[in-house]
Amino acid sequence: MRAKASAAKRKKSLNFSMSIASVVLFLCGVLVNTSNALREDQLGTYDWHLKFVGDVRFVSFLTGENDRNKVLVTTQDSNIIAALDQKDGTIEWRATLDESDAVDYASLVSATTHTRDEQKFLLVQSSSGKFIRALDIEDGSMIWETIAYTEAAASEELYLESAKDLGIDILPLGKDVDGDTVHDFLVLAKGTVTLRSLADGVTQWKANVAEAIATETNEKCHLQRVCLEEGSKAVYAVGVSTIDSSICGASLRVSDGHVTHTAVGGTKLSGIVGEDGKYSVFCAGANSDKVFVALKRTSKSKKQNFSVVTIDASAFFEKKGGDASIFADVSVMKLGISDDASNTYNKGGNGSTDTRNFIKLNTVASAGDEKSYRSSRLAGAMILSSDAGEMTLLRFLDTSKQLTSVRSFPDKNKVAVSFHNDEIFVVESSKLSSSSPVLKVTAQALIGNGNDALQVAEWHIGDDSNLLKKYAHVKSVFVDPKTTNAVVVHRDAFLTFVDKKTKTNPIWTREESIATASESMFGYLPETIAVYTDAREQANAVVVKSSLKESARVQYLALAARLNRADAEMRAELAKLRRSRGTKLLPTRDDIGFRRSLLFLTPTGSLIALHNGDGRVVWRTHLGCAKNEWKYTALVPWVVDGKEALLTVAKNATTTIVQCVYQEDGTKAADATYYGFAAVRLVPLEVSGKASRILFVDDVGEASVYPPETDSRESTTLNAVRSAISRNSYYVVDQERNEVRGYTFALTDKGTSASGVHTWTIKFPPESGNIVGFSRKAAQTEPVHAWVKVPGDRSTMFKYVNPNVFFIATDDGRGIHAHLVEGVSGRIIYRVYHAKAKGPVYATLCENWITYSYYDTDAQRHALSVLEVYDDSETRKNKAVSQLVLKSLFGRSTSSATKKNISSSAAGVRQVTDDDETVLSSFTPPPLRVLGQSYFIRPGTKFMRVTASAPGIT
């Protein structure tokens, strides 16, 4: 009987084991059937990609009978030079300069008078006038390169001098002046004027004008402009004295660069001002009517008076800068700028006089070819504007020999101006109506003194039927001197190409705003639309169904790719066909969460959503105001009434604006909230049982809550928010002081306002080096796939998962010090030293691991290190795997433990797991066990982030 019972028990146990095995095999089969791997022929390919050029600063038009018409553009921040096809705006070629090699000037030039369009090239000046290059217009290749000046080894004196001497200028003369049959150009950089040949950039003559002025007048002159007077064949170099900001300059012979005259202005020519120290003196007029134009400021009884002064250039040098050389000195009020605008900001924050300039004088932009550039300078087309928004167009008239007001505008942030064929071309944008998002753009040509105006064209940007696309106002315009085409750049870098004679404008557009984006995140598409409620939803509901021919083509190309018989074109066609199949391009979200949107926020306030299936623009909106002082700095996920939304944070020197929009369509989810300070950091608040909050903290530690708590709210909600604030803390990484400081919050007597209280500081000594890398966990709700790791000996290792841990690295010149710091207590919980390594260090953190990269100077290769941190306390050792598995299957849910673990507070992190009742605190950390590995990698690292799948695998 015992034998039968034992046999029956073994059989029952075997059946139970077989049942478990069957379940495991069934689950494995399900996982195998639902898994999706990368195909072999998909290696090295991508679904889609977008190419950008950035915020356009210079534009040149290449238009000819034997040419494919192009638009050559040069960007402002990304240092990209590119050629666009005039038909559709596609990029034909693109050249990228070094990150620090900013472009100062770009123009289309030709080396001889009878040059065909094919032989033209792009003349580019960059790095504050240091580099001069000639680029081929066909493919962007370099024809020649030259260096205008060289610098000594880096030093504090050199840095201070280079920061002061900002004057650079370049002037293509359009003719030969030295007798070698090749056109020449003048270059001004570092106080030296050179004449160079367009054939190869070789210097014909060189004159140190700043030194000559200092020798004769004992004045230090920062030269800013160079011009040519054809009548006397003299070259004028003009600038501003560093002593009293008076006009100074020199006259040179064009044949050999010999300095013939030097001059420094008197009392009536002092007080010259400009924008950021650049181009505060300008040249205008042709031949013997050459004049200097400058903006002058005088202060009387703590009141600033601005005027525009016009000076006879030849008389200025003949009379050694005497006041008799002044043609006119006109107040800005007579030119259309009110007296209130020039004195609105004359007081500083402490009651002292603010010495900044709030009236600006600049030249009008023109198309980037040498003829338009010279004509714009000769005509003296200028813009006089104020920080209050007023703007007046000026130009030099030979009859009166002074600047004349052409047209005034109340808001300079809605006007773009260009000089074109002796006309000032004005493009003005405005809202079609107060409730419409559509921009009405009007183009006018102002002739002569502005009394005659020609209405050129009018077009709209946006559509009332599509409320999901809003655009910023115009910023600049460039007109083709040979045709009626123009390129219009908006304030968010959005690019449009228009034809002034057609009514179908714009001809094409480019979404260059994305290239300037400073913040990005994944967003959510709208819910699935069961019934189309309007035409817009029906148009956006793209359902893709492959035909039999397309399916056969996909099979053929896939087979060719697997057999290595497919060339690059066939692989590109295969990727395109696969990208367009199925439901991946639908404008609504799917059940799995694969179809998402890519959200981009620009500093100017444009918010763009792209579909992750093909990169098309789902919606765009412009949140920013027209003025430039507002800068959008943060993009935060949010929830409003159960719907996914996001917060955008903008600030200027004194105010912070928080705006909330829905992720699915960009519509406003809540009214904008204003704070009377400039927020420098955001601290998330987890309020027990309530919706999330955010603390906005200024530079002195004062904090306010978003959304603001009102007196009408329940007292329990207010108390819960106050309790959450008192439990939170934050830290500041100060690279200038080479330290990290921690703060907690102290509540005020009433409401939810708080102030930061300094609690700890980590000061890195000189022997530890300077801070070269920093990283923290991306989100408080980080995914945790498993709490333990089971190595090969079947033991258990518990992960140390603390959301307050951050990584910081220092470089002492001999190696890298890597630190793990607990952000609540300020305790360094682990450090490691990498000898013969140097920064910069890029790192990312998630769960219990840290990955960071650096450069190994000994191996001359880039390296990647990984640290894994585990809890090594006695209560966590020697746990049986079977017990942990049974507790995970039949024990209490881990969701509560997860929520408790991710809560951050001033008291630390509290972790309650299913295997025991251990409570962890930031002030009493457990003993840690850290595992580390290092690897060599080929490419250098520029960016690191963590991705996570739906089950939580990172």
Side-chain angles (χ1 to χ4, degrees), residues 895-916:
S895 60
S896 61
T898 302
K899 292 180 180 179
K900 290 182 181 179
N901 178 74
I902 63 176
S903 63
S904 173
S905 67
V909 54
R910 300 177 60 85
Q911 176 176 301
V912 183
T913 60
D914 285 336
D915 59 290
D916 54 35

Side-chain angles (χ1 to χ4, degrees), residues 585-600:
L585 301 185
L586 293 179
T588 56
R589 68 183 70 179
D590 59 336
D591 296 333
I592 305 176
F594 285 162
R595 287 199 304 269
R596 301 284 294 272
S597 62
L598 302 173
L599 302 174
F600 299 91

Side-chain angles (χ1 to χ4, degrees), residues 75 215 477 544 595 624 651 787 833 928:
T75 60
T215 302
V477 60
V544 180
R595 287 199 304 269
K651 63 180 181 179
W787 293 104
Y833 180 68
L928 301 177

Side-chain angles (χ1 to χ4, degrees), residues 243-528:
I243 298 179
D244 57 356
S245 297
S246 59
I247 294 180
C248 58
S251 174
L252 297 81
R253 280 201 304 257
V254 71
S255 58
D256 56 3
H258 175 70
V259 178
T260 57
H261 299 88
T262 61
V264 177
T267 56
K268 292 185 178 181
L269 291 177
S270 61
I272 305 301
V273 293
E275 185 178 9
D276 300 328
K278 290 185 177 181
Y279 303 149
S280 55
V281 181
F282 305 92
C283 298
N287 300 327
S288 59
D289 294 329
K290 188 71 65 178
V291 297
F292 300 143
V293 180
L295 179 67
K296 188 176 70 170
R297 176 176 59 190
T298 57
S299 299
K300 294 181 179 180
S301 302
K302 296 184 179 181
K303 183 178 180 181
Q304 300 180 77
N305 297 317
F306 291 88
S307 62
V308 177
V309 59
T310 307
I311 307 157
D312 187 336
S314 60
F316 177 76
F317 294 108
E318 291 175 359
K319 300 176 181 180
K320 296 293 183 179
D323 296 337
S325 61
I326 299 177
F327 271 144
D329 192 346
V330 184
S331 172
V332 295
M333 291 186 291
K334 296 182 179 180
L335 296 175
I337 303 298
S338 64
D339 182 61
D340 293 338
S342 62
N343 289 280
T344 302
Y345 304 100
N346 66 336
K347 289 288 185 180
N350 57 357
S352 61
T353 302
D354 194 337
T355 58
R356 290 179 297 170
N357 177 34
F358 299 99
I359 305 294
K360 299 179 179 62
L361 182 66
N362 290 303
T363 56
V364 172
S366 61
D369 66 276
E370 54 180 336
K371 185 177 180 181
S372 299
Y373 182 64
R374 287 195 303 270
S375 63
S376 175
R377 291 179 60 147
L378 295 178
M382 298 184 186
I383 299 175
L384 183 66
S385 62
S386 70
D387 282 1
E390 299 174 334
M391 186 183 83
T392 299
L393 299 181
L394 308 174
R395 70 173 299 172
F396 179 77
L397 297 180
D398 296 338
T399 56
S400 60
K401 293 186 178 181
Q402 63 179 338
L403 288 180
T404 302
S405 176
V406 176
R407 182 71 60 88
S408 297
F409 300 90
D411 192 351
K412 65 179 181 181
N413 299 292
K414 299 178 181 179
V415 180
V417 185
S418 178
F419 192 80
H420 164 68
N421 291 342
D422 204 34
E423 301 171 352
I424 297 181
F425 189 77
V426 180
V427 176
E428 190 173 7
S429 61
S430 61
K431 290 294 182 67
L432 195 61
S433 65
S434 58
S435 60
S436 174
V438 180
L439 282 181
K440 181 180 72 172
V441 185
T442 305
Q444 285 185 329
L446 304 181
I447 304 170
N449 58 4
N451 293 328
D452 298 326
L454 177 63
Q455 185 75 24
V456 179
E458 180 179 307
W459 64 91
H460 294 170
I461 300 293
D463 191 354
D464 275 325
S465 62
N466 187 357
L467 299 179
L468 304 184
K469 291 188 177 181
K470 301 178 182 179
Y471 298 88
H473 289 284
V474 296
K475 178 179 68 172
S476 56
V477 60
F478 304 91
V479 184
D480 187 353
K482 295 183 179 180
T483 66
T484 59
N485 299 330
V487 171
V488 180
V489 184
H490 292 247
R491 294 198 169 271
D492 59 352
F494 185 78
L495 203 63
T496 60
F497 184 78
V498 298
D499 189 338
K500 297 181 294 181
K501 291 186 177 181
T502 63
K503 296 183 179 180
T504 58
N505 286 317
I507 299 175
W508 52 259
T509 63
R510 288 188 60 86
E511 190 60 86
E512 296 298 336
S513 305
I514 301 176
T516 65
S518 57
E519 299 290 329
S520 62
M521 60 174 280
F522 278 98
Y524 289 92
L525 294 170
E527 297 284 352
T528 302

Side-chain angles (χ1 to χ4, degrees), residues 3-41:
K4 290 183 179 180
S6 178
K9 187 174 181 180
R10 286 197 301 270
K11 184 176 181 180
K12 185 176 181 181
S13 176
L14 179 62
N15 292 336
F16 179 73
S17 300
M18 292 179 64
S19 300
I20 293 178
S22 300
V23 172
V24 172
L25 290 175
F26 171 74
L27 292 175
C28 291
V30 171
L31 292 175
V32 169
N33 290 333
T34 58
S35 63
N36 188 14
L38 188 69
R39 300 183 180 92
E40 181 182 358
D41 56 90

Side-chain angles (χ1 to χ4, degrees), residues 858-918:
D858 191 19
Q860 295 295 309
R861 299 172 69 181
H862 294 276
L864 188 74
S865 294
V866 181
L867 301 178
E868 297 178 74
V869 187
Y870 295 94
D871 188 341
D872 202 35
S873 58
E874 293 296 331
T875 58
R876 299 299 183 92
K877 293 182 179 179
N878 301 322
K879 291 289 184 181
V881 177
S882 58
Q883 295 179 3
L884 296 177
V885 172
L886 290 176
K887 280 196 173 186
S888 64
L889 292 175
F890 305 107
R892 68 172 183 264
S893 173
T894 60
S895 60
S896 61
T898 302
K899 292 180 180 179
K900 290 182 181 179
N901 178 74
I902 63 176
S903 63
S904 173
S905 67
V909 54
R910 300 177 60 85
Q911 176 176 301
V912 183
T913 60
D914 285 336
D915 59 290
D916 54 35
E917 296 296 331
T918 303

